[in-house]
């Protein structure tokens, strides 16, 4: 599908230099050993985990661009652009690796059309992004879920139809939209929503219906504090980022059932088992829902709120994954048919 002008320019957000199409690497760099071990682990679990968590996700293209201090390494990309030089087939990673001089920040962790207009995970290594090796692998699965979201046929036209950019063709509106983070009524409504989500998620079957009524009342109360446009921005963030955080947890749980990682991965000094990573994600989201701090955390608050909403949908909404794709950017619509 041809990308719109605004989408084509998203990659420009993150560029720090402009490459010549004829540029070449004077001396072939190599992926650092620890990063190679982590990438091998990601590639070991990615497809089976995606297939178990969300079957339709399994077929999504998942190119990765690893950013190191001096070079970038591209993998699983169907059409590398001209500035990349092939390093050949890597027998450990089981894929062809391409390289170019560094363009992006080594601290970057994002998914956008970075190479050839195809959504690509652009990531620094675990040390640069401040994560343990296992958490880094799981976070890349979070980013691969964004690739799945972006691959939906109507994703880009649908986002434009939300009319949130206000002429910003760079894509920065997704981060910088003027949501009323400092509004006391909005802050209070967000806290109430977080509390209601925790109660609904923790409720036993006998109290589930009442907790769901409380959640829906809290969500309606928040909507009353927002304009129609602010509501669209909130729902977009809950749908896109919040659901990816929920899926991150599901991926960690599935990865824990995939058998032991390689001895090399388990020998990394920061190694944690995946069930510990999953527990940390769940605990963090639970804590953030209990203490929603919109003024301090701002847009990041939407991750926990969206994750809690997605977990609740998984629990009470039949066929929620199909509905998630059929009714994009509106997690609240998943509950509309419930009585």
């Amino acid at each position: 599908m041809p990308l719109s002008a605004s989408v084509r320019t998203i990659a420009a957000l993150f560029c720090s230099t402009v490459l010549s199409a004829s540029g070449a690497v004077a001396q072939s760099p190599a992926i650092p050993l620890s990063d190679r071990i982590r990438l091998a682990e990601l590639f070991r679990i990615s497809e089976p985990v995606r297939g178990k968590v969300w079957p339709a996700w399994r077929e999504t293209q998942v190119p990765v661009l690893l950013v190191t201090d001096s070079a970038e390494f591209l993998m699983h990309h169907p059409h590398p652009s001209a500035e990349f030089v092939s390093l050949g087939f890597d027998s450990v990673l089981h894929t062809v690796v391409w390289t170019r001089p560094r363009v992006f920040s080594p601290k970057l962790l994002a998914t956008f059309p970075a190479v050839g207009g195809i959504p690509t995970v652009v990531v620094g290594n675990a040390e640069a992004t401040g994560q343990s090796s296992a958490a880094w692998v799981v976070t890349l699965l979070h980013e691969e879920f964004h690739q799945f979201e972006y691959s939906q046929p109507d994703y880009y036209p649908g986002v434009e139809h939300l009319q949130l950019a206000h002429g910003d063709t760079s894509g920065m509106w997704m981060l910088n939209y003027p949501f009323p983070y400092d509004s006391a009524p909005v802050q209070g409504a967000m806290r109430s929503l977080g509390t209601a989500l925790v109660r609904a998620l923790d409720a036993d079957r006998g109290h589930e219906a009442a907790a769901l009524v409380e959640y829906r009342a809290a969500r309606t109360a928040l909507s009353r504090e927002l304009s129609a446009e602010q509501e669209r921005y909130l729902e977009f963030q809950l749908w896109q980022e919040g659901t990816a955080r929920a899926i991150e947890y599901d991926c960690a749980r599935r990865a824990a059932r995939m058998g032991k990682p390689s001895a090399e991965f388990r020998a990394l000094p920061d190694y944690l088992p995946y069930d510990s990573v999953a527990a940390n994600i769940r605990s963090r989201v639970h804590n953030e829902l209990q203490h929603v701090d919109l003024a301090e955390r701002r847009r990041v608050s939407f991750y926990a709120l969206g994750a809690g909403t997605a977990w609740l949908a998984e629990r009470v909404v039949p066929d929620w994954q199909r509905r998630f794709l059929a009714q994009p950017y509106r997690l609240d619509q998943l509950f509309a048919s419930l009585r």
Side-chain angles (χ1 to χ4, degrees):
M1 176 186 70
L3 299 182
S4 67
S6 62
V7 173
R8 287 195 303 268
T9 58
I10 289 177
L13 291 174
F14 306 95
C15 290
S16 59
T17 192
V18 177
L19 294 174
S20 165
S22 62
V25 180
Q27 182 176 358
S28 294
I31 300 176
L33 178 58
S34 58
D35 296 331
R36 201 163 174 240
I37 292 170
R38 294 168 184 138
L39 287 166
E41 173 62 10
L42 171 68
F43 298 157
R44 178 184 77 91
I45 67 172
S46 175
E47 184 176 339
V49 164
R50 286 184 282 124
K52 292 290 187 181
V53 170
W54 199 305
W57 181 18
R58 189 168 197 156
E59 305 305 317
T60 304
Q61 292 182 333
V62 286
V64 175
L65 184 68
L66 176 71
V67 183
T68 65
D69 288 340
S70 60
E72 297 177 352
F73 301 91
L74 181 66
M75 292 146 281
H76 293 164
H77 197 289
H79 306 294
S81 45
E83 71 272 11
F84 283 93
V85 174
S86 175
L87 295 178
F89 185 83
D90 188 299
S91 60
V92 173
L93 302 180
H94 302 290
T95 187
V96 175
V97 177
W98 301 77
T99 189
R100 72 181 180 188
R102 183 171 71 81
V103 173
F104 299 114
S105 167
K107 296 183 179 181
L108 189 60
L109 179 52
T111 300
F112 57 98
V115 179
I118 294 176
T120 302
V121 177
V122 182
V123 60
N125 64 19
E127 291 83 3
T129 56
Q131 301 186 76
S132 71
S133 292
W136 185 85
V137 168
V138 171
T139 299
L140 265 67
L141 292 170
H142 168 124
E143 295 300 323
E144 289 183 358
F145 187 76
H146 286 324
Q147 291 172 316
F148 176 56
E149 291 173 320
Y150 302 163
S151 73
Q152 300 309 303
D154 296 326
Y155 173 84
Y156 292 108
V159 171
E160 290 190 0
H161 186 69
L162 294 175
Q163 297 183 325
L164 297 171
H166 295 286
D168 173 15
T169 60
S170 70
M172 284 297 289
W173 65 267
M174 295 187 187
L175 307 180
N176 297 332
Y177 180 85
F179 191 80
Y181 299 108
D182 296 317
S183 163
V186 173
Q187 292 171 358
M190 283 282 197
R191 287 192 295 270
S192 296
L193 179 60
T195 299
L197 273 170
V198 168
R199 288 176 179 167
L201 292 170
D202 291 349
D204 58 33
R205 291 300 179 184
H207 298 88
E208 184 179 88
L212 185 59
V213 169
E214 180 183 351
Y215 157 73
R216 294 181 70 183
R219 185 65 187 84
T220 299
L222 174 58
S223 294
R224 286 198 294 263
E225 301 296 339
L226 302 174
S227 70
E229 182 178 296
Q230 291 164 351
E231 172 78 7
R232 293 198 302 274
Y233 179 74
L234 169 65
E235 277 298 319
F236 170 73
Q237 291 290 347
L238 298 180
W239 182 89
Q240 181 159 293
E241 297 294 349
T243 305
R245 177 58 50 81
I247 294 299
E248 184 180 330
Y249 166 75
D250 292 341
C251 287
R253 292 175 64 206
R254 288 289 183 178
R257 305 173 196 171
M258 289 288 300
K260 288 184 178 181
S262 69
E264 293 81 4
F265 188 77
R266 286 182 281 122
L268 292 171
D270 61 355
Y271 171 71
L272 286 173
Y274 288 118
D275 53 2
S276 295
V277 174
N280 288 341
I281 294 169
R282 189 82 181 195
S283 175
R284 186 171 75 249
V285 170
H286 197 277
N287 182 67
E288 290 173 6
L289 288 175
Q290 289 181 307
H291 306 94
V292 176
D293 191 344
L294 193 63
E296 177 67 25
R297 297 181 63 79
R298 308 187 85 77
R299 173 181 165 273
V300 178
S301 300
F302 301 147
Y303 285 62
L305 289 165
T309 305
W311 285 332
L312 185 60
E314 184 177 16
R315 179 173 176 175
V316 304
V317 178
D319 199 19
W320 85 276
Q321 291 185 350
R322 182 190 62 79
R323 297 184 186 199
F324 174 88
L325 297 177
Q327 299 173 318
Y329 329 120
R330 291 298 302 268
L331 279 186
D332 65 326
Q333 287 299 307
L334 295 175
F335 302 92
S337 62
L338 299 181
R339 294 290 183 268

